[in-house]
Amino acid sequence: MESSIIAEIDRSNLGDSGLPASASITNVKHLSSYNWIERPTATIAVPGSPSLWVNPKTSKKIKKDSGLFYINQNEARYPESPLEPLFRALYLAIPSFDIRSADVVTDRNNIRKLLAFINPDLTPSDLEPFTIGVEVIGTTALFRRDETAATRFIAPNEFRGFGHEFEKEYTINQINGGTCHHRIISYRFCDLEFIVRYEADGYVATDMAGSFESQGPRDDSLVDIMGDLSLSSAGDDPKTDSVPQKLVVMEEGRVVPLESILEIKTRATTRPLPIQEIAAQLWVSQTSKLVRAYHYRGKFDVPQVEDVAAQVKRWEEVNQNDLKRLPLLIKTICNLARQSGGKITVRYQGGSKLVLCRTDRADMLPQSLYSKWERKDDAPVMTTVDIHAEAERSETLGGRQEKAKETTRPKYGDVPYSELISYGMDKGFRQFFRRMPTQLSQYHLLCDTLDSLAIDVTNGRTIRDFMHDMRNCKDEWDPEERIWIKGPKKIARDSAFRLLYLLLQTKIVDNNMAYNATLFVVSHRRMFKYRTRKMVREALEENCPVSAKQRAGLNRWPIEDSFSTIPGDDDVTTESEDIFFDSDISF
């Protein structure tokens, strides 16, 4: 509950004194993500996945929005602590993250509102009365989005546009029972470290991201095919976080890189949407892909995906005078909150002033999360600039720590995964599967680093060559000695990484050979463990067209983790299978 007014901040007082020399966002990193799940109990899936954009070729009539929609799903689904899902997702992805390195933790919406207060022309649609809750813990300020209503009901006779129905029609949900997808990123703005949460409308598949060409209209057959790519299924039994809490946290989904995230806007053809009207929103979340979908009475033209990164950067350069005032305003709010016991409410009700009131509202987070700000000298912690190192040490999304690295290994300089690359060059490429997180985006980063170091991963050999290597490493039955002769598994596992490298880093000419090699990997669980099979299959599906017949062949060999609990080195095997290739062109 609010009490006395402690201060007022007038827009005109945000003058030129004390402003930074420049105001740019730098050092942007993806931290975590999650989806809300439709369940009676508040449940999120981490990392979840945004919905997949489906590029249409023809115009289409869309029905208008109606029914119940969320304004702030975090508050609607978990009013006890709308910020808690952010922290649960963050610490599930990066258990050793040091929250003390962050100056501000906030939703994108709060930054948009403060920008609109500084200059209403920056984001005119956001300059409405608003309330932001603030709580300061140590040197970190939590900004909570407070809305007068967390949901909105659109009556059948009411018109509120087509945006929600458009997203349903042109994107495909990737999480079973999942609703909106939230992203958590960090970056440096001026001298402040931000953690920002925002809702993502969708993502562009890798094969679309390069050209943005239309991929065909959405129809039932396409939906069925893409449904096979769903990141979860009704039969899944996802892992859940065992931390005692009201919020249920599941491990489910896959990480989608920041550069693939898409913002979707709909407008009538008579009201063009200039980039200036939405640049602030894209800038705060560093979103570079945009769809501006235009319609006439609900019939939409063929929408196009635009790369607007350069336009957003240009907007940042043009609006330096106002952006420099944003850190000054935020610091003023944080200092006043700190001086007033740590909790305040920021209100804007029109005019040129923000009103700051002392408040005695309940804590924003459960007590178990406040311990993250306590100093633990006996345990290392991680800052926003260290998250790539976490990926090198992490074996799973839960972040199990690998054994200490030997200090005598050669280093490759200050590049991502330098020590891991040293170890892999010394012990074999198969070691990457053991020590890398099961996130394809991290393998992209690893392979890009290998290229930048001019490391010849393939030695000029092809997928067909590596297929021969893997087949020759199978166990064979000697009918005379009546014994199994074990094949050299290490060679096969090194070849599996080289296969993954070719799938990610080269243009595949023979898609059937790539499929056959991948099928060999996923079907030989005695030779290749869960992590290898999972990443090779994901690399194939991301970079090569897979027919329905081929997908059925892959689905015969589910990528489950039931064998990954066997102790010992990655060379331990559990069972053997053989297959007959069933592709358009057999090996």
Side-chain angles (χ1 to χ4, degrees), residues 457-474:
V457 176
T458 64
N459 293 320
R461 305 180 75 219
T462 66
I463 291 179
R464 183 178 293 273
D465 297 325
F466 297 132
M467 179 67 170
H468 276 294
D469 288 347
M470 292 187 293
R471 288 177 62 85
N472 290 337
C473 293
K474 292 172 52 180

Side-chain angles (χ1 to χ4, degrees), residues 2-19:
E2 294 180 16
S3 55
S4 59
I5 295 176
I6 60 172
E8 293 182 344
I9 301 176
D10 195 291
R11 184 184 296 126
S12 62
N13 292 335
L14 298 173
D16 296 329
S17 61
L19 297 182

Side-chain angles (χ1 to χ4, degrees), residues 120-169:
D121 293 333
L122 285 181
T123 173
S125 62
D126 291 325
L127 189 60
E128 298 177 352
F130 64 79
T131 302
I132 300 173
V134 179
E135 181 176 338
V136 176
I137 311 164
T139 59
T140 305
L142 309 182
F143 281 34
R144 181 190 58 226
R145 178 183 178 184
D146 289 345
E147 301 285 355
T148 54
T151 59
R152 171 192 295 159
F153 182 79
I154 303 176
N157 60 347
E158 185 181 4
F159 180 74
R160 289 280 184 170
F162 301 87
H164 295 287
E165 292 298 331
F166 180 89
E167 287 187 23
K168 290 180 185 178
E169 188 65 33

Side-chain angles (χ1 to χ4, degrees), residues 563-576:
F563 304 100
S564 64
T565 57
I566 295 178
D569 188 79
D570 189 42
D571 293 333
V572 173
T573 56
T574 57
E575 66 176 1
S576 176

Side-chain angles (χ1 to χ4, degrees), residues 470-471 474-475 484 489 519-529 533 556-558 560 562-563 573-581:
M470 292 187 293
R471 288 177 62 85
K474 292 172 52 180
D475 294 346
W484 282 98
K489 301 292 191 300
L519 182 60
F520 184 88
V521 171
V522 301
S523 63
H524 283 75
R525 284 177 284 188
R526 181 172 181 175
M527 186 179 296
F528 306 104
K529 295 191 72 177
R533 291 181 284 113
R556 290 177 55 201
W557 311 99
E560 80 289 335
S562 58
F563 304 100
T573 56
T574 57
E575 66 176 1
S576 176
E577 302 92 359
D578 209 340
I579 63 171
F580 296 96
F581 291 105

Side-chain angles (χ1 to χ4, degrees), residues 173-228:
N173 188 13
Q174 301 291 286
I175 298 294
N176 188 36
T179 59
C180 68
H181 178 72
H182 286 85
R183 314 279 296 180
I184 304 164
I185 62 174
S186 68
Y187 52 69
R188 187 170 183 82
F189 177 58
C190 297
D191 59 346
L192 295 175
E193 294 289 345
F194 281 79
I195 294 177
V196 177
R197 174 177 65 181
Y198 66 97
E199 183 179 346
D201 293 334
Y203 80 98
V204 183
T206 302
D207 58 344
M208 297 180 188
S211 62
F212 306 131
E213 294 177 354
S214 297
Q215 300 295 312
R218 175 177 177 177
D219 55 30
D220 291 341
S221 61
L222 178 59
V223 172
D224 291 341
I225 293 172
M226 296 308 297
D228 291 334

Side-chain angles (χ1 to χ4, degrees), residues 23-25 108 111-116 118-124 126 187 189 274-287 308-324 326:
S24 298
I25 290 177
R108 173 178 63 180
I111 304 299
R112 292 172 60 188
K113 290 171 179 174
L114 294 178
L115 279 173
I118 292 171
N119 183 353
D121 293 333
L122 285 181
T123 173
D126 291 325
Y187 52 69
F189 177 58
I275 191 68
Q276 290 78 11
E277 287 191 23
I278 51 175
Q281 179 180 1
L282 302 173
W283 177 79
V284 175
S285 58
Q286 292 293 283
T287 302
V308 294
Q311 297 177 62
V312 174
K313 185 63 178 178
R314 176 60 179 162
W315 177 90
E316 181 187 71
E317 295 169 352
V318 169
N319 291 284
Q320 282 291 293
N321 190 48
D322 294 315
L323 294 179
K324 290 176 183 178
L326 179 60

